[in-house]
Amino acid sequence: MPDIELWGGVECTVNRTRDGYLDQCRLSGHHNRLSDLDRFADLGLKAIRYPVLWERVAPNGLATADWSWPDERLERLRELGIRPIVGLVHHGSGPRHTNLLDPAFATGLADFAAQVAQRYPWIEAWTPVNEPLTTARFSALYGHWYPHSADEGSFWLALLNQVDGVRLAMRAVRRVNPAAQLIQTDDLGRAYATTRLAEQAAFDNLRRWAGWDLLFGRVTRQHPLWERIAAFGLGDRMLAIADAPCPPDIVGVNHYLTSDRFLDHRLQRYPPSTHGGNGRLAYADTEAIRVLDPPPGGLGGVVREAWQRYRTPIAITEVHNGCTREEQLRWAAEAWDTACAAQAAGVDLRAVTAWSLLGSHGWDTLLTGSGSYEPGVFDVSSGTPRPTALAELWRGLPKRAARHPLAQEPGWWQRPDRLLYPPMPHPGAARRQDASPSTPPLLILGATGTLGQAIARACTIRHIPHVLSDRTRIDLTRPHGFGHSIEAIGPWAVVNAAGWADVDAAEAEEETCRRINAVGAVALAEACAERGIAYLGFSSDVVFGADDDRLHVESDAVQPLNAYGRSKAEMEAGCARLDNTLIARTGAFFSTAARFDFAHAVVDSLEAGRPFKATFDYLVSPSYVPQLAEAALDLLIDGATGVWHLTNGETLSWAEFARRIAHCAGFDTGLIEEIPGPLPDWRAPRPRGARLATERGAPLGGLDAAIRGFLRERAAAKTTQPRALRAAT
């Protein structure tokens, strides 16, 4: 068999709800960036799933179609040698004059397909409708998307209309290019259930094939779904499809870690958000990977099932995991390895698709409202695509290149902590014997510090092997032993979260502060560079000293006012000469782990009914430590270098920060008393306008949400140790 190809895909959904259309290409910025295609080509893609969507090109009808966008992009793909797999509808329902229940939907799509084919007769691969079964469920059975129907008859009608759309569109395309291929995608998982729900699971497992079965011409009077669909008056439609089928040339399997489902009648075991039913029985519907032990068949299982059912070439057309960066790496690597194993076992498996190249927006709300952005192979949160660690992984997979060390660890779906609910045995499944590779650890300096502990905690949660070191192992005042210590541990990267932290004490002991924060830190970074090891260090907003109203970005010149700031500025300059270093500049930390923390002091004072004094004329850009740790780890895994500003995206006075904390905690904001600075106990001068913004990435998250997270953590910790109450610093 030929080598497995690497394909790519941009999340290009244009779906409609009562609120209007949501266009992923505009949300990601891809609509305005032709240069993205060159970035994709650099990955080594052989083909790309690419949108020429009906709703985008001809929103008001074919007579006024605007072809300028696809003209430019398809020609560029042609120049780059990337084969486009053209999609015409992607989780959509067409322009406003039609919808999935419209009798004219299929013929309208066919008319559009004919014009696309006539304009681009050289295009060989087509997906006229992406995931017709899934789209029918979300639009006509669950009512999430337009036309918001929620009954079984509408579901089957929406599915048949899409299948007819595929058939008629391919007929129109093949009049222009008889060799055109149909690559038909759909989400494919398997349902598992308790004995009481075995019948429902059996139906779900039959229904999942309905779209492909229709296109292959298998839904005749003998098909087990015939009577159920015909009961809605759709028998003649099914006969017409069976008489003139349109078998896919390649079956495109989309599979996610949530695709396999488990149905359980014991509702008390699961949260209300999972509860549903079929009109006769109530049951919980949750991810099978969270319940079954051993785990379900997953991607490998559905690929084998699809091959056995159709004996038609298969491509894995979506591979994505909306999780932390290292888990994204693990899932992508496993998907590639699964494809290679399937091909070795005799499956005609043609390709694996890196999805989604630019990430996606709003899938955590199923595209029904404002949601979160998930980075993909590139992170577009800053407006400019930045390659993540996935880019290097995907580029190297077809070449069998060395993988990131963290890609070798088992993913969460392979570990015992995947089980969120009482485990159910999975009959007939062999228990997986997970490999235990010897993965190099992440070395973290700063075992006693807030930041070092936060990074170690994040590593534990994210299953990143790590070593948390104190000064007995690596002492920043003794740089001559760095090389030996690093080699003894053998890390893939070093995080320096240690150092001198007392801004005021540094004024009297500047040389000691400099020896730790600058000389020692640079020597450690150099020792890492000599061994090809990535290095992450931390700097501060006090490297800036201007008292103007400007927001400081990463490329701005520094001008520290105090000894601590000078030590950090010297460290930054020394590390800038190295190509392996990442420096995270932060604003004022706040965290439940910090004993002498401004946010703690505010809440402690207000809980006791005492007013809290804070300066109104000194500005700060707060950084919530747990989010800071997560973001810094992601950048380190991605191989990012240089200086990055990591804050919660707002600049405000210390007094306003205190009021925001009081408001989120439900206290009287009138208890916050504004005072002018500097405060009497400040020995070190502070910049009045320590305002951090970023030109390289995105904020850590909204400040109010971070404050609420801090308050929840504080409440959960139930800390009883007294904390010093201090005015703003």
Side-chain angles (χ1 to χ4, degrees):
M1 290 186 184
D3 289 341
I4 295 174
E5 291 187 337
L6 175 60
W7 295 355
V10 290
E11 171 55 76
C12 57
T13 296
V14 177
N15 79 305
R16 183 180 178 186
T17 64
R18 293 184 181 90
D19 296 327
Y21 285 93
L22 186 71
D23 187 336
Q24 291 280 337
C25 282
R26 291 188 181 276
L27 290 172
S28 69
H30 180 59
H31 179 83
N32 298 313
R33 283 194 310 267
L34 180 66
S35 57
D36 285 352
L37 303 183
D38 294 81
R39 296 182 176 94
F40 301 160
D42 185 58
L43 299 173
L45 303 182
K46 300 299 184 184
I48 186 169
R49 297 184 59 198
Y50 205 71
V52 183
L53 299 187
W54 192 9
E55 298 96 325
R56 284 172 55 89
V57 174
N60 300 310
L62 295 178
T64 57
D66 181 358
W67 300 96
S68 57
W69 194 86
D71 280 353
E72 187 177 32
R73 274 121 184 109
L74 292 174
E75 183 57 33
R76 184 58 183 150
L77 287 173
R78 201 175 185 184
E79 293 169 355
L80 293 168
I82 302 176
R83 305 191 312 272
I85 302 167
V86 167
L88 305 181
V89 176
H90 197 102
H91 289 315
S93 55
R96 291 191 181 275
H97 64 265
T98 189
N99 64 74
L100 297 183
L101 304 181
D102 179 9
F105 175 85
T107 55
L109 180 58
D111 291 342
F112 177 66
Q115 290 210 10
V116 179
Q118 290 162 12
R119 196 171 188 90
Y120 314 112
W122 52 273
I123 292 176
E124 298 177 347
W126 298 75
T127 303
V129 179
N130 172 66
E131 294 193 357
L133 184 82
T134 301
T135 303
R137 287 166 52 212
F138 280 52
S139 299
L141 187 61
Y142 309 147
H144 297 319
W145 303 337
Y146 196 81
H148 301 290
S149 295
D151 62 274
E152 188 176 358
S154 294
F155 162 74
W156 291 118
L157 178 58
L159 177 61
L160 291 177
N161 279 344
Q162 291 176 94
V163 167
D164 270 337
V166 172
R167 291 170 59 242
L168 299 182
M170 289 307 299
R171 184 182 301 171
V173 168
R174 284 168 175 160
R175 290 193 189 104
V176 178
N177 182 356
Q181 286 191 320
L182 170 61
I183 300 175
Q184 186 54 60
T185 62
D186 223 317
D187 183 87
L188 185 59
R190 183 174 183 83
Y192 303 82
T194 56
T195 302
R196 186 178 299 183
L197 292 164
E199 182 180 349
Q200 180 64 44
F203 170 71
D204 290 352
N205 286 326
L206 178 61
R207 185 184 64 183
R208 63 186 171 143
W209 303 109
W212 285 308
D213 278 2
L214 285 160
L215 287 169
F216 275 102
R218 295 187 176 192
V219 184
T220 63
R221 295 183 187 277
Q222 290 72 44
H223 194 281
L225 284 174
W226 173 273
E227 290 186 3
R228 184 156 187 153
I229 302 173
F232 296 99
L234 300 171
D236 290 343
R237 291 282 301 276
M238 289 187 289
L239 286 176
I241 294 171
D243 287 342
C246 184
D249 297 282
I250 294 177
V251 172
V253 172
N254 299 346
H255 182 83
Y256 292 81
L257 288 162
T258 57
S259 293
D260 289 333
R261 311 300 297 179
F262 184 76
L263 312 181
D264 196 329
H265 63 280
R266 297 164 296 183
L267 297 178
Q268 71 277 7
R269 292 184 170 214
Y270 307 92
S273 59
T274 67
H275 295 178
N278 57 15
R280 294 181 295 107
L281 293 172
Y283 53 82
D285 180 342
T286 192
E287 304 94 335
I289 196 68
R290 297 297 193 180
V291 181
L292 291 183
D293 194 27
L299 177 60
V302 296
V303 164
R304 288 191 297 273
E305 287 185 272
W307 173 247
Q308 291 164 3
R309 191 175 186 89
Y310 299 119
R311 293 292 169 173
T312 295
I314 291 174
I316 299 173
T317 39
E318 290 186 18
V319 171
H320 176 70
N321 181 14
C323 199
T324 55
R325 189 78 77 250
E326 68 283 351
E327 299 289 22
Q328 289 182 318
L329 291 173
R330 293 161 186 165
W331 178 238
E334 181 175 318
W336 184 268
D337 292 344
T338 298
C340 292
Q343 190 186 67
V347 176
D348 186 358
L349 201 147
R350 302 292 179 86
V352 180
T353 307
W355 186 276
S356 149
L357 293 171
L358 298 174
S360 61
H361 292 77
W363 274 101
D364 54 336
T365 65
L366 297 177
L367 308 184
T368 59
S370 60
S372 303
Y373 169 67
E374 293 178 4
V377 182
F378 296 88
D379 183 342
V380 300
S381 58
S382 70
T384 300
R386 176 182 64 82
T388 68
L390 283 167
E392 189 64 25
L393 178 74
W394 281 117
R395 188 183 294 113
L397 285 172
K399 304 172 185 176
R400 299 179 175 84
R403 302 174 182 180
H404 194 289
L406 294 181
Q408 303 172 44
E409 284 289 299
W412 67 259
W413 56 96
Q414 298 172 315
R415 305 193 302 263
D417 58 340
R418 66 183 172 81
L419 296 169
L420 297 183
Y421 310 113
M424 286 289 293
H426 180 191
R431 184 173 295 276
R432 188 193 314 219
Q433 297 297 320
D434 293 331
S436 298
S438 179
T439 302
L442 176 66
L443 174 58
I444 306 168
L445 278 67
T448 60
T450 298
L451 186 55
Q453 291 177 354
I455 293 172
R457 181 185 178 193
C459 286
T460 299
I461 294 170
R462 293 170 59 161
H463 202 72
I464 298 175
H466 61 281
V467 172
L468 184 57
S469 173
D470 59 20
R471 68 184 59 183
T472 62
R473 179 174 286 182
I474 296 182
D475 186 343
L476 289 174
T477 64
R478 299 178 180 178
H480 297 300
F482 288 166
H484 176 75
S485 299
I486 292 171
E487 289 170 2
I489 297 169
W492 63 270
V494 172
V495 176
N496 181 11
W500 185 287
D502 193 326
V503 176
D504 289 307
E507 292 299 298
E509 300 184 61
E510 180 164 2
E511 185 53 34
T512 303
C513 173
R514 175 180 175 272
R515 191 165 66 247
I516 295 171
N517 283 357
V519 178
V522 172
L524 180 60
E526 289 172 340
C528 291
E530 291 170 1
R531 292 159 179 81
I533 295 171
Y535 174 88
L536 165 62
F538 292 87
S539 188
S540 167
D541 54 4
V542 298
V543 297
F544 295 111
D547 288 337
D548 56 31
D549 291 331
R550 276 191 318 117
L551 288 170
H552 297 291
V553 296
E554 289 88 347
S555 59
D556 286 343
V558 301
Q559 190 180 6
L561 297 177
N562 55 43
Y564 178 81
R566 287 189 289 272
S567 74
K568 289 296 185 179
E570 183 179 344
M571 177 273 292
E572 291 182 9
C575 288
R577 299 192 300 266
L578 308 172
D579 59 8
N580 69 317
T581 61
L582 167 66
I583 302 298
R585 277 199 199 123
T586 72
F589 285 179
F590 66 107
S591 163
T592 56
R595 183 176 180 184
F596 301 108
D597 181 277
F598 178 81
H600 276 304
V602 172
V603 179
D604 284 346
S605 183
L606 299 181
E607 282 181 341
R610 296 190 298 269
F612 186 85
K613 297 180 180 181
T615 59
F616 65 84
D617 51 355
Y618 280 76
L619 303 179
V620 66
S621 301
S623 299
Y624 183 41
V625 171
Q627 292 177 331
L628 168 62
E630 296 281 355
L633 281 172
D634 282 348
L635 289 171
L636 184 63
I637 294 168
D638 288 344
T641 58
V643 175
W644 290 71
H645 288 178
L646 299 181
T647 75
N648 284 97
E650 288 193 47
T651 298
L652 65 176
S653 70
W654 285 104
E656 179 57 28
F657 187 23
R659 277 194 294 271
R660 294 280 282 277
I661 295 168
H663 174 75
C664 291
F667 292 110
D668 179 7
T669 58
L671 289 173
I672 305 301
E673 296 182 5
E674 294 189 355
I675 59 174
L679 297 181
D681 59 345
W682 287 0
R683 284 175 282 169
R686 266 76 161 174
R688 289 182 180 271
R691 308 177 68 198
L692 296 186
T694 179
E695 60 189 359
R696 304 195 68 183
L700 300 176
L703 180 58
D704 284 347
I707 292 171
R708 287 192 291 270
F710 161 80
L711 294 169
R712 285 193 300 270
E713 276 199 68
R714 175 186 160 98
K718 296 180 180 178
T719 304
T720 58
Q721 294 178 349
R723 292 185 176 86
L725 302 180
R726 301 186 301 169
T729 59

